[in-house]
Amino acid sequence: MNHSLFISLKVVRGKISNINMSGDSDLEIEEAFRRAQKAHNNKAKLVASLKNRYNKLEDKTEFHEEFIRCLKYAMIIYTREPAVENVIEFVTRFAASFETPVNENAEEEEEEGDENEFLNVLLNFLLESHGANSHAVRFRSCQLVNKLLGSLSENAQIDDDLWDRIHEAMLIRVTDKYPNVRIQAALAMSRLQDPSNLDCPTIKAYMLLLENDSNPEVRRAVLSCIAPSATTLSKIYKRTRDVKEKVRKLAYQVLAEKVHIRALSIAQRVSLLHEGLSDSADSVKEVVKTHLLPAWLRMQQGDVLQLLHRLDVENCAETAMTTLQAIFSMASSPDDLLQNGVRLNERKLIPVDSLTCENVLYWRALCEFVKNKGNEGEELLEQLLPETAIFAEYLYSYLKSITQLSEEQRADMTQLEMVMTQEFIGQQLILLVGCLDTSEEGGRKRMVAVLQEVLLMSNTPSSLIGLLVEKLIGILRDDAQKIQMIAEIISDVREPILPVSEPVDENEKRRKQVKLAEVRVQIMEAKQTLEECISCQDFSRAAELKESISELEELKNQLVLEASQSADNIKEQRVEKSDPTTLLKCLTMCAELFKQMNIKRGICPTMNALIESLILPGVSNPNPAVRNMAVTCLGTAALHSKDLANTHLVLLLQITQLDEPKIRISALRALIDQLLLNGLNILQDKPAPVSQDDSNEQPEHQAEEESTIQSILKMLSDFLDSEICELRTETAEGLAKLMYCGRILSPKLLSRLVLLWYNPVTEDDQRLRHCLGVFLQLYARASRTNQECVEESFLPTMRTLFNAPVTSPLSEVDTSNVAELFVELTRPSTLVKPAAVQAVSVHDSLAVRVCNEILRDISAPEVRLFCKTLSWLEINTEPGPANSELQLLLKDILQEVKDKHCIRIIEKLCNQLNGDRCSKSAGAQDTTLQNLDDNNGEVNKDETKAKRAKRGQKKASTAKNGKKASKAELSSEESDEENVPEEPSSVRPSRRAKMAAIDKTKQDLTALMNQEANGS
């Protein structure tokens, strides 16, 4: 390949001057190129005229050379000038005009070969040029190859060797350092891929770009080209979580247009809908609503229930609800909502034997959607729901029929799945109670009675208890009535009325048994004597014995009856149950009661009785589930009373350290909630012990409070190092809440959270990473006080990373990336509500801290990073004490530092502080950027972007070079959808400004061509 082909245009002209062509042909080719630059010219006529000229020539070599000579002028221009783009379009059309249909007569094969000669020559020239030093030539070569291949018909044929050369060249160019070149190369390979070939190099290159390319426009270009297959589907799916909004949007469009719903797993379908409909960008949400959902519905012939079946609504009810809300919002009329959904009978109910997870969820979602419309949906809601009393009987009949499995039956997965389905349907029916009109007294009373009865039933699943209590409390209007009714239900469940037999006196029972035995013996002896008398014919004696036997029989019957009555002596009375199932049911109702009641109401005697008789004994129950629910109840109850919180705070602290992980987490949540509500001064409201000497006791009491607070903070800090992932995550989330709400202001804890976010150990903990990533941004932007806290935590964090041993996971963290994060978080311009103008900004204070750290040990290896950090700061250049102090520190550093890189940074910073306006923008730039050659019109992000740590800290990839540097990077990143660079000496104008001044900015190739002609 001729890599220096375009280094000197004079060499090219020298070659062209030796061509023996007539003036007319020269003029005609050049004239065609001149006219092609104008948008108003008809390119089809130009193509036809030039092709007619081409067909008349016997020796077409000269034409090829002259055509390529004119094309070279366009290829050396990198910017997307209209004139250049018009020329590229003209060349593409002209080359495509030589294509002939495949199915032609054999006589025309020779003619076809002649006509394809121009296309082959042009492609060969482009393939020779793709490796040129100039990025403009590489860009235009790939662009022309892309347009040429795209303009050919589906059954077009190209020589195999040429096809292989195109393939090899584009595979090289997709690794080019300029994003625009990679984009055009990726587009050019769209017709070179073979999805059926597992080893297709194009597919592999596409997947590599999707995974690793730093430029979002390159990823978008690959997404638009890559063919979905079993191999590539996972890569396309992963782009729906891209950091760039436009990439995510295009990924959803590709999945909607090219991928069948059956090709996706249930988890992928649910994830697409959940993440798409909850995306932070409105454009992504809109694409999911208008493209993905309609496409999936078309695949199901418009059957919404069938689409829900594809989502497995039992395990993703919330996502299914969000999906249905999106579908309903696109309905044009209320009739569409009624026609596409469930079928209700004359009672406005779904028959019990026809209830499924899909249709009951659809019913509930539609009712909630219509109810949220307010007065507009009242008429439609009446068509969807029956009267309250009718629905109450319907709900009771279904919940009563839920199967109750034994321990043996629970081992059978089929029966277990059946019961789980029944519970899900019951859950949706209970939630429908919230859509009913309970203003009518009779219907409301009947619903209350049904909910009470269901709560008292023994076969009511524990998963429905909380919902039943919530709906019951929601229907009742008086707070005292709510508490009293739930307390009575708990009492009836805990101490039900059961038949109980009275205890029998064993001595009395023994005496009666002995007497009965004696009577039986007497009867047997009398009967034997009677037989003897009859045999001796002593009939008078026989008559007396017969009467005696009758009396004995009556006595025996009486004794037997008394014995049986004593055995059946059963009375009904309340019996306290203490089995785990009963206790768990009662505690669940109690917890829901505390959640629903207003915390300002306080603790009434009834609630206090529940705490003493049910909750506190449950905390020490041996069953873990009961203990966990009791801790949850205690934490919720403590929110209603500060005195109760003070009383049981120590108990919660003990549980967080001694119990099972799940129970420790529940206790930790209760503790965090208490600190969020009352703050760390919760113990200050605790009454101090009465003493004769108040002056001595008061300091001791305060010291005890401070010691307890310090113990709590130390315990939370220790939990951040816990090996239990859930406990560590819950602690980090709790500390983030406390700091964001202003309950804690601790640079040390903030440093711990930052290190935890960067720690590779937490790489798989998505909840922790997401929580801390959002917290750090919101916290730093909230106030200047928070930014000062971030500033104070900077040096401790960096020292921890610098001093981390090789065996520590923190040694793998990119310290430069961490420094970028702190600089961005403390940037004054990021504040939501900027404070009044102050002489010293947070960055000014941070600069002083960094300078002092550099002077501590000027030979330390981290000095270079600290100097680089100084260049990223937005330092106030106005004269003042802070400016003078910083200049003195910088001069001290210059005297001691030996590293040339650091010296350059410090000198530029000194010039900036001295008020040198020319060097002000240079001081904000990243001094690590390399000097770019004359052809490099854009700042290449691929070269200047700092290497990220393993965790992929997308939150920290900030505008590290100040505002001007960020604009330069943005132009390289986005570049008008195709990363077209801007001139480094000017600010890139907006698209509207370009279009308004297009006549002044467009470039005409005619001047270059005339200049060459005069020079030759």
Side-chain angles (χ1 to χ4, degrees):
M1 297 182 185
N2 187 2
H3 293 277
S4 60
L5 185 61
F6 297 97
I7 300 302
S8 174
L9 291 178
K10 293 183 180 180
V11 177
V12 178
R13 289 198 296 266
K15 293 181 179 179
I16 294 175
S17 62
N18 295 328
I19 298 176
N20 295 323
M21 289 186 65
S22 63
D24 293 339
S25 63
D26 281 344
L27 179 62
E28 187 162 346
I29 296 177
E30 290 188 6
E31 183 64 22
F33 272 84
R34 289 191 180 97
R35 293 181 182 180
Q37 299 175 56
K38 312 297 181 181
H40 58 79
N41 281 323
N42 190 329
K43 293 184 175 56
K45 291 184 179 180
L46 291 177
V47 168
S49 175
L50 192 59
K51 187 175 181 182
N52 186 42
R53 177 67 180 171
Y54 180 82
N55 291 333
K56 291 179 180 180
L57 296 176
E58 295 183 0
D59 184 8
K60 299 178 173 52
T61 303
E62 295 178 352
F63 183 93
H64 295 160
E65 294 178 354
E66 177 65 12
F67 188 92
I68 290 175
R69 181 187 71 84
C70 295
L71 175 61
K72 289 177 181 177
Y73 292 104
M75 293 182 63
I76 62 175
I77 299 174
Y78 187 53
T79 55
R80 305 298 288 266
E81 296 289 345
V84 180
E85 297 302 316
N86 290 332
V87 169
I88 296 298
E89 182 66 23
F90 164 70
V91 172
T92 302
R93 290 192 180 188
F94 181 72
S97 67
F98 288 93
E99 180 193 359
T100 55
V102 175
N103 296 326
E104 294 288 340
N105 297 330
E107 298 176 357
E108 299 181 0
E109 291 183 0
E110 183 177 353
E111 180 183 353
E112 178 183 345
D114 294 340
E115 292 191 351
N116 283 340
E117 181 184 357
F118 177 81
L119 185 60
N120 293 336
V121 169
L122 182 58
L123 287 174
N124 282 323
F125 164 72
L126 295 176
L127 294 178
E128 292 174 357
S129 307
H130 85 88
N133 289 337
S134 171
H135 60 280
V137 176
R138 300 198 302 271
F139 167 66
R140 294 299 178 182
S141 298
C142 294
Q143 183 187 26
L144 276 169
V145 171
N146 169 35
K147 288 183 174 293
L148 286 174
L149 294 180
S151 63
L152 299 179
S153 60
E154 293 183 2
N155 57 355
Q157 292 185 352
I158 293 181
D159 183 68
D160 291 342
D161 293 338
L162 182 59
W163 188 269
D164 293 338
R165 289 179 60 201
I166 294 174
H167 202 174
E168 293 175 1
M170 294 302 102
L171 284 174
I172 296 174
R173 291 280 68 80
V174 292
T175 60
D176 196 279
K177 71 175 182 178
Y178 283 86
N180 275 336
V181 181
R182 299 199 300 273
I183 290 173
Q184 296 300 327
L187 295 174
M189 290 198 303
S190 61
R191 299 187 67 176
L192 307 179
Q193 58 183 324
D194 183 10
S196 60
N197 182 10
L198 297 178
D199 297 326
C200 176
T202 300
I203 295 293
K204 291 183 177 180
Y206 276 167
M207 292 192 296
L208 189 64
L209 289 174
L210 282 178
E211 287 285 339
N212 302 318
D213 200 290
S214 60
N215 190 282
E217 294 303 323
V218 177
R219 301 196 296 271
R220 290 184 71 239
V222 175
L223 273 177
S224 64
C225 300
I226 190 169
S229 64
T231 305
T232 61
L233 182 57
S234 61
K235 306 299 181 182
I236 299 174
Y237 166 77
K238 193 173 181 180
R239 286 306 100 203
T240 59
R241 302 173 180 176
D242 197 277
V243 295
K244 291 295 182 179
E245 169 188 341
K246 293 181 179 180
V247 181
R248 298 197 302 272
K249 178 181 175 182
L250 182 59
Y252 279 107
Q253 290 177 340
V254 170
L255 289 172
E257 297 170 1
K258 300 181 181 180
V259 180
H260 198 281
I261 187 174
R262 292 184 177 179
L264 299 167
S265 66
I266 293 177
Q268 288 175 333
R269 300 169 197 164
V270 173
S271 176
L272 287 174
L273 293 175
H274 173 72
E275 295 174 2
L277 293 174
S278 60
D279 197 279
S280 58
D282 293 334
S283 61
V284 178
K285 296 179 185 177
E286 193 64 23
V287 166
V288 177
K289 288 182 180 179
T290 58
H291 288 74
L292 187 66
L293 278 176
W296 284 3
L297 281 173
R298 285 194 300 270
M299 296 172 189
Q300 307 302 324
Q301 289 75 44
D303 190 347
V304 182
L305 298 182
Q306 187 63 29
L307 176 60
L308 292 177
H309 181 70
R310 300 285 184 191
L311 298 179
D312 187 19
V313 296
E314 288 186 61
N315 298 317
C316 61
E318 292 303 320
T319 302
M321 284 291 294
T322 308
T323 303
L324 288 173
Q325 298 290 338
I327 294 175
F328 297 153
S329 64
M330 294 186 293
S332 56
S333 65
D335 294 335
D336 295 339
L337 298 177
L338 293 175
Q339 292 175 0
N340 298 332
V342 296
R343 299 292 181 262
L344 304 177
N345 57 19
E346 64 280 357
R347 300 177 62 200
K348 302 177 186 177
L349 296 169
I350 302 176
V352 175
D353 54 353
S354 300
L355 283 172
T356 62
C357 296
E358 290 78 19
N359 61 18
V360 72
L361 184 70
Y362 184 94
W363 190 18
R364 173 205 158 196
L366 182 57
C367 291
E368 291 183 356
F369 177 78
V370 174
K371 186 177 178 63
N372 290 334
K373 287 190 171 183
N375 296 331
E376 298 179 4
E378 285 185 1
E379 183 178 351
L380 183 58
L381 191 61
E382 291 179 358
Q383 304 177 37
L384 294 172
L385 285 175
E387 296 178 359
T388 304
I390 296 176
F391 188 84
E393 297 297 335
Y394 176 74
L395 176 63
Y396 180 72
S397 63
Y398 184 82
L399 295 180
K400 187 172 62 174
S401 65
I402 294 180
T403 308
Q404 188 174 11
L405 298 180
S406 62
E407 293 297 330
E408 296 179 356
Q409 291 174 329
R410 288 183 177 276
D412 187 356
M413 292 302 299
T414 304
Q415 296 190 26
L416 186 60
E417 290 177 0
M418 178 191 67
V419 173
M420 292 175 65
T421 301
Q422 292 177 347
E423 291 182 10
F424 179 83
I425 296 174
Q427 181 185 21
Q428 303 307 311
L429 293 177
I430 295 171
L431 289 170
L432 266 173
V433 174
C435 299
L436 295 171
D437 182 12
T438 57
S439 59
E440 193 268 323
E441 186 68 20
R444 184 173 67 253
K445 286 184 176 180
R446 182 56 192 155
M447 180 59 73
V448 170
V450 166
L451 294 177
Q452 282 183 285
E453 184 66 25
V454 173
L455 285 170
L456 290 171
M457 289 192 307
S458 60
N459 66 327
T460 303
S462 58
S463 60
L464 304 181
I465 299 298
L467 277 177
L468 290 168
V469 175
E470 178 186 347
K471 297 305 175 185
L472 178 58
I473 293 176
I475 294 174
L476 299 174
R477 298 175 180 177
D478 183 60
D479 287 348
Q481 185 184 7
K482 296 176 183 178
I483 297 172
Q484 187 64 30
M485 183 169 290
I486 299 300
E488 291 176 357
I489 295 174
I490 291 175
S491 177
D492 292 339
V493 173
R494 181 79 186 278
E495 298 179 355
I497 299 176
L498 299 176
V500 179
S501 60
E502 290 186 348
V504 181
D505 187 2
E506 293 295 331
N507 294 330
E508 182 67 22
K509 182 179 179 182
R510 181 63 178 169
R511 187 185 63 78
K512 290 182 179 182
Q513 289 177 352
V514 171
K515 187 175 182 180
L516 179 60
E518 291 177 354
V519 172
R520 287 176 176 171
V521 171
Q522 292 176 4
I523 291 174
M524 291 177 63
E525 291 178 351
K527 286 183 179 180
Q528 186 176 3
T529 305
L530 178 61
E531 291 178 0
E532 293 176 355
C533 291
I534 292 175
S535 60
C536 296
Q537 295 184 358
D538 187 357
F539 296 106
S540 59
R541 176 65 178 165
E544 294 175 0
L545 290 173
K546 190 174 182 180
E547 292 178 3
S548 178
I549 291 173
S550 300
E551 294 174 359
L552 291 173
E553 287 287 349
E554 291 178 4
L555 181 58
K556 184 190 75 169
N557 294 333
Q558 184 179 355
L559 292 174
V560 171
L561 181 61
E562 290 178 359
S564 62
Q565 286 179 353
S566 62
D568 297 335
N569 190 12
I570 299 175
K571 294 183 179 181
E572 290 185 350
Q573 65 180 27
R574 290 191 177 274
V575 178
E576 182 177 354
K577 299 173 67 176
S578 58
D579 59 286
T581 304
T582 302
L583 291 176
L584 193 59
K585 185 176 182 179
C586 295
L587 287 169
T588 304
M589 288 189 282
C590 189
E592 194 63 36
L593 173 64
F594 283 119
K595 288 179 184 178
Q596 298 298 325
M597 299 305 297
N598 192 339
I599 61 175
K600 295 181 180 180
R601 193 179 187 280
I603 297 291
C604 65
T606 304
M607 299 170 73
N608 195 39
L610 288 174
I611 295 172
E612 296 295 334
S613 63
L614 180 64
I615 297 177
L616 292 179
V619 172
S620 58
N621 192 281
N623 187 279
V626 175
R627 209 159 59 246
N628 184 48
M629 185 55 68
V631 170
T632 302
C633 289
L634 182 61
T636 310
L639 298 175
H640 293 257
S641 171
K642 189 173 290 188
D643 293 337
L644 183 66
N646 286 330
T647 303
H648 300 293
L649 182 63
V650 177
L651 176 60
L652 290 175
L653 290 173
Q654 290 176 349
I655 296 174
T656 56
Q657 302 177 70
L658 301 177
D659 217 316
E660 295 184 3
K662 186 177 180 180
I663 305 173
R664 292 174 65 186
I665 291 172
S666 298
L668 179 62
R669 289 173 181 167
L671 179 63
I672 295 295
D673 290 341
Q674 198 59 237
L675 295 177
L676 284 171
L677 181 64
N678 299 312
L680 292 177
N681 58 350
I682 179 175
L683 296 176
Q684 294 179 3
D685 297 329
K686 188 175 181 179
V690 179
S691 176
Q692 296 295 331
D693 190 1
D694 293 338
S695 60
N696 294 332
E697 292 293 335
Q698 188 67 20
E700 294 180 3
H701 182 60
Q702 292 180 355
E704 181 183 354
E705 291 176 359
E706 294 178 359
S707 175
T708 305
I709 293 173
Q710 293 298 327
S711 299
I712 293 175
L713 294 178
K714 184 178 184 304
M715 179 193 71
L716 295 176
S717 179
D718 292 340
F719 284 169
L720 293 177
D721 297 325
S722 174
E723 296 180 358
I724 304 173
C725 177
E726 294 80 7
L727 183 62
R728 181 181 61 209
T729 302
E730 200 67 40
T731 305
E733 185 175 342
L735 287 173
K737 291 178 181 178
L738 290 170
M739 296 188 70
Y740 184 72
C741 295
R743 296 299 188 183
I744 297 177
L745 187 64
S746 172
K748 183 178 179 181
L749 284 178
L750 182 61
S751 174
R752 292 291 307 278
L753 293 179
V754 173
L755 292 173
L756 188 64
W757 190 48
Y758 275 95
N759 198 324
V761 174
T762 64
E763 187 172 3
D764 296 329
D765 194 344
Q766 295 183 0
R767 180 188 167 194
L768 175 66
R769 287 293 180 91
H770 178 73
C771 171
L772 293 180
V774 174
F775 159 72
L776 289 174
Q777 294 188 62
L778 295 179
Y779 180 75
R781 294 175 181 175
S783 67
R784 177 185 169 91
T785 304
N786 293 349
Q787 283 195 339
E788 291 174 353
C789 181
V790 175
E791 173 210 338
E792 292 180 22
S793 65
F794 172 69
L795 288 181
T797 304
M798 301 305 295
R799 289 169 185 164
T800 303
L801 293 175
F802 292 142
N803 298 329
V806 180
T807 56
S808 172
L810 292 177
S811 62
E812 303 176 13
V813 177
D814 183 2
T815 53
S816 175
N817 196 281
V818 179
E820 290 179 43
L821 173 69
F822 276 94
V823 171
E824 183 63 22
L825 292 179
T826 54
R827 201 175 294 280
S829 57
T830 60
L831 285 173
V832 176
K833 294 181 180 179
V837 178
Q838 300 184 11
V840 180
S841 67
V842 179
H843 272 194
D844 293 341
S845 302
L846 182 59
V848 173
R849 288 178 181 270
V850 173
C851 290
N852 287 325
E853 185 68 18
I854 293 174
L855 292 172
R856 280 184 57 190
D857 186 1
I858 202 68
S859 61
E862 57 266 19
V863 168
R864 173 174 282 212
L865 176 59
F866 284 136
C867 291
K868 192 175 181 182
T869 304
L870 289 174
S871 68
W872 298 338
L873 298 174
E874 294 179 4
I875 301 176
N876 187 8
T877 58
E878 298 298 328
N883 192 322
S884 302
E885 180 185 3
L886 187 58
Q887 288 190 46
L888 292 175
L889 291 172
L890 292 175
K891 290 179 181 178
D892 292 342
I893 295 174
L894 280 176
Q895 293 176 0
E896 298 187 23
V897 73
K898 305 299 181 182
D899 187 83
K900 294 182 180 179
H901 179 77
C902 298
I903 293 175
R904 286 197 301 269
I905 295 176
I906 302 301
E907 288 177 348
K908 288 184 178 180
L909 195 56
C910 289
N911 293 334
Q912 180 181 344
L913 293 175
N914 290 329
D916 188 354
R917 301 300 179 185
C918 296
S919 63
K920 181 177 180 181
S921 61
Q925 296 290 337
D926 184 0
T927 56
T928 60
L929 294 177
Q930 302 294 328
N931 292 329
L932 304 178
D933 57 20
D934 294 336
N935 290 328
N936 189 356
E938 69 173 357
V939 178
N940 186 12
K941 185 175 180 181
D942 295 343
E943 294 177 344
T944 63
K945 191 171 185 180
K947 183 179 180 182
R948 296 181 178 181
K950 283 189 175 181
R951 61 168 299 280
Q953 298 90 349
K954 62 184 179 184
K955 303 291 183 186
S957 57
T958 56
K960 61 183 179 181
N961 301 325
K963 290 185 177 179
K964 294 187 177 181
S966 65
K967 289 182 180 179
E969 288 190 6
L970 182 62
S971 67
S972 175
E973 186 74 16
E974 301 298 336
S975 188
D976 205 11
E977 301 300 330
E978 285 194 358
N979 294 272
V980 178
E982 62 182 12
E983 295 298 328
S985 60
S986 63
V987 179
R988 178 187 174 204
S990 65
R991 181 181 293 273
R992 183 175 296 179
K994 285 184 182 179
M995 298 303 295
I998 191 170
D999 293 334
K1000 299 180 181 179
T1001 59
K1002 66 182 180 180
Q1003 185 170 354
D1004 195 342
L1005 300 180
T1006 305
L1008 283 177
M1009 298 172 70
N1010 290 339
Q1011 180 181 359
E1012 179 191 346
N1014 295 334
S1016 60

